[in-house]
Amino acid sequence: MKYSYYPGCTSHSTAIEYIEASLAVLQALGIELQELPDWSCCGAASAHNLSSTLALGLSAFNIAEAEKLGADLVIPCAGCFNNLARADYALRHDEQKRRELEELLGFTYSGKVAMLSVVDLIADPRWREQIKALVKKPLQGLKVVCYYGCAVVRPAEITGVDDVENPRRLDELMIALGAEVIDWSCKVDCCGGDLGLTHPDKATVLVNGIVDYAVAAGADCLVTSCALCQANVDIRQQRLPIMYFTELMAEAFQVGDRARWWKKHFNDPAGLF
Amino acid sequence: MGEVTELKGQQPACQTDDGAGATCACAAAGGLEDLYSVPVDRRVMVIGGGICGITAAIDLGNADYRVVMVERLPSVGGRMLQLSETFPTLDCAQCTLTPRTVESGQHPHVTLKTCCEVVGLSGEPGNFRVRVRQNKTYVDWSKCTGCGTCIQKCPTKSYALFERDAGRMTAIYTLSPQAVPNKPVIDADRCRYLTKGKCGVCAKVCPVDAIDYEQQESYFEVEVGAIIVATGFDVYDWKTKMPELGGGRLPDVIDGLTFERYLSASGPTAGRMVRPSDGVEPKEIVFIQCAGSRNPELHKSYCSKVCCMYTAKHARLYKHKVHDGQVYIFYIDIRSTGKGYEQFIQQSVSEEGIIYLRGRAAKVFQEGKKIMVQGADTLTGKKIEIAADLVVVAAALVPNEGAEELAEILGLTCNKDGFFVEEDYKLSPVDSGSRGIFIAGCCQGIKDIADTVAQGSAAASKAQVFLSTIRRQKKQAV
């Protein structure tokens, strides 16, 4: 099974461990990725503040690259995924925008390439049995709460999330690994990631709220698929390790350089395993 | 115009499920003698036995028309049967409704056909042929005396739609102690005998041998001149559509209709105010209005009209039961446009100490034994968090289940929300646009009991006008 792959800037910076874990897990599942040869910035959190054309254009450029490869595009970073999915939605549903972007980038949109987060890709039930088969060390006794944040969730028509208020895909994956998933009430709350630099005091309040509830629920760690959530929630508290879901999968599969990843965390997760 | 169809004394055609057999084994097709004692242009079918249909049927019956009332549930009374007290007078719904249900049951010119559904229509305005399915009751009503022994002895007690989340019901049941007709039916999905083949207690205790587990559904046809459709409303599926309210996952978040069952003296708690999870009396209640209403992006764009008033009523009835309880109501704005309604709201605030918070509740979740409600008070601009014992959601009201299918059968039009479309909203509000078929009550648009009853009478009157026009045309044609 072959997919094209958009790494995004976090894969080279704050979320190296997420990308490495994701690649290790996908490799274990036999999913082959081909990196876009000439990928650019997705527009991140800044482009759309300046110009909607710039924001959509940057993402559309990468969609055009993926269309050249002709394989569905896997985007591990939640922020990148949201931007690219947003651009794809505009190309698909907004005739005028599509023509504008096609002219800007000199390409013809075919709409044949789907935008997929890693969760979209492997939470699909068809992978479930294979995932269970790959588990060498079940995460027995590990109590987790799954935290989805916003970027892979909203708006629903763009992200294709299973349930905006109560998403369950990460939960199902964690159950497949043998972890004990605890239902809690902050699955889709805002972590204040975008306020991290401008209003860190507000972000801290939001992060503490989330961690309070996770601790009260009895969680050993919080599981996310968003690099910004991970960084933001990890650095602002000392109570709970914040794990990428693919790190836990890699732990269960016993693949990848996990000891090195754990060192990238502010709250060391090594004690969990 | 064609000749007068003379059907006096004639029995309607009756067929079993497979379409064979001219003789009628079901009790359903019987009892239409009174209906057929007059020509077709003096007969009306009322679909839906709620307060609207009952009103129309009694009006028509009193005007010497013959009425057959088709109701899907085992007894008439409709949604009002589930209510505790009604606004703005706070009089008991049962006490005001029961005389009407009894009258509809005893009226010499009104024939009740409960557990029945309309499945087909042919003929023409003034001379319709309506095909009706008699659903299985598993009780031979021609034998049943309504003694209630079977209900007392039934060992199954489980969730029943009528009691919503407020309580459980036996598998053989009547909808209320004053049910009309007062004959029980068996819920096949919950009955131990019908699901597992073991039990049969009701059949053993029935003194007249009326229990019939083998009963089949049957069909019959009725010829009427006009039809009044009054199929009512249901509650929006907020539990699955609004997960932010914790619907279905948090037992202590319930909807308004469920709260009615708690308040109702004939409800499962006999009017005792308790909460579902642990049966403890709630001391702090949060009401959330406009849940699913006035939300064009995600849910229903329309205002469900009655929620402002019934929420105020709920709050007051709760305060009457729990004197030291505290009530908070999240609202967008208060719509109290009926006679005496605004005064009712004012009294709720000034005399009962109910706190209104202008804003939408954003999130509802469990924390220990409390239900946390987070929202914004848009008047102070502050974020609020209330730790409540019980949350009552004033969910949007929607057309009753099956309304669209019925529209297809009868040739009616539904709007995008599924309400039947009237010929002209202002000038012909109960004409359906199909001649001879009238619409009334909440199936046309959500309205309170007073407006519903007014439309029931209006539809009865318009049906008479229509049928007298038919008679005049026939006379002229002769």
Side-chain angles (χ1 to χ4, degrees), chain B residues 324-339:
Chain B
D324 57 343
Q326 182 57 58
V327 180
Y328 304 91
I329 301 178
F330 280 96
Y331 72 103
I332 301 181
D333 46 34
I334 301 293
R335 299 185 166 177
S336 53
T337 56
K339 195 177 183 182

Side-chain angles (χ1 to χ4, degrees), chain A residues 50-71:
Chain A
L50 300 171
S51 144
S52 123
T53 309
L54 175 63
L56 293 174
L58 281 165
S59 285
F61 171 82
N62 292 299
I63 294 171
E65 288 296 299
E67 289 204 338
K68 278 186 204 159
L69 295 182

Side-chain angles (χ1 to χ4, degrees), chain A residues 3 41 43 46 54 65 70 72-73 80 103 107-108 110 125 166 170 174 194 206 209 216 227 261 265 268 272:
Chain A
Y3 291 89
C41 172
S46 37
L54 175 63
E65 288 296 299
D72 288 351
L73 183 61
C80 299
E103 199 172 315
F107 88 116
T108 310
S110 77
N166 185 23
L170 284 181
M174 290 303 118
D194 278 350
L206 290 168
W261 304 338
H265 289 249
D268 189 355
L272 295 176

Side-chain angles (χ1 to χ4, degrees), chain A residues 14-262:
Chain A
T14 55
I16 291 172
E17 69 275 32
Y18 175 42
I19 293 302
E20 286 187 11
S22 299
L23 294 180
V25 165
L26 294 183
Q27 195 184 9
L29 284 165
I31 297 172
E32 205 180 312
L33 298 180
Q34 187 178 1
E35 184 170 331
L36 297 184
D38 188 26
W39 60 271
S40 76
C41 172
C42 72
S46 37
H48 63 90
N49 287 325
L50 300 171
S51 144
S52 123
T53 309
L54 175 63
L56 293 174
L58 281 165
S59 285
F61 171 82
N62 292 299
I63 294 171
E65 288 296 299
E67 289 204 338
K68 278 186 204 159
L69 295 182
D72 288 351
L73 183 61
V74 177
I75 311 150
C77 170
C80 299
F81 165 73
N82 195 286
N83 278 332
L84 268 77
R86 202 175 281 268
D88 189 62
Y89 189 85
L91 286 164
R92 209 175 285 276
H93 298 282
D94 187 339
E95 180 80 29
Q96 201 186 336
K97 240 339 166 230
R98 177 174 61 79
R99 265 187 263 130
E100 192 186 328
L101 291 169
E102 283 180 340
E103 199 172 315
L104 185 74
L105 298 165
F107 88 116
T108 310
Y109 176 73
S110 77
K112 283 184 185 151
V113 170
M115 304 296 123
L116 301 172
S117 70
V118 179
V119 184
D120 292 334
L121 182 59
I122 58 176
D124 191 296
R126 70 198 162 107
W127 293 105
R128 197 60 44 85
E129 286 314 308
Q130 207 174 330
I131 289 172
K132 282 186 186 163
L134 281 170
V135 173
K136 286 207 186 90
K137 181 188 160 203
L139 303 180
Q140 228 76 50
L142 184 69
K143 292 181 186 150
V144 303
V145 287
C146 294
Y147 176 64
Y148 296 77
C150 61
V152 292
V153 173
R154 293 168 196 274
E157 63 270 27
I158 284 170
T159 62
V161 70
D162 54 333
D163 186 331
V164 183
E165 299 290 346
N166 185 23
R168 284 177 291 270
R169 286 177 183 167
L170 284 181
D171 299 57
E172 284 160 9
L173 272 176
M174 290 303 118
I175 290 166
L177 302 181
E180 185 183 329
V181 175
I182 305 174
D183 196 20
W184 68 317
S185 47
C186 298
K187 276 182 169 180
V188 293
D189 278 17
C190 176
C191 75
D194 278 350
L195 303 173
L197 297 174
T198 51
H199 298 86
D201 51 327
K202 291 199 170 101
T204 304
V205 170
L206 290 168
V207 164
N208 275 327
I210 290 164
V211 175
D212 282 349
Y213 279 111
V215 170
D220 300 323
C221 68
L222 182 145
V223 181
T224 184
S225 67
C226 172
L228 190 54
C229 292
Q230 197 280 338
N232 188 47
V233 183
D234 199 14
I235 61 175
R236 290 184 203 286
Q237 49 85 30
Q238 283 106 43
R239 290 181 283 167
L240 203 64
I242 312 300
M243 304 301 294
Y244 291 109
F245 75 107
T246 44
E247 287 181 309
L248 291 182
M249 292 186 79
E251 173 65 24
F253 293 179
Q254 295 283 296
V255 295
D257 190 359
R258 301 185 303 282
R260 199 169 71 82
W261 304 338
W262 303 161

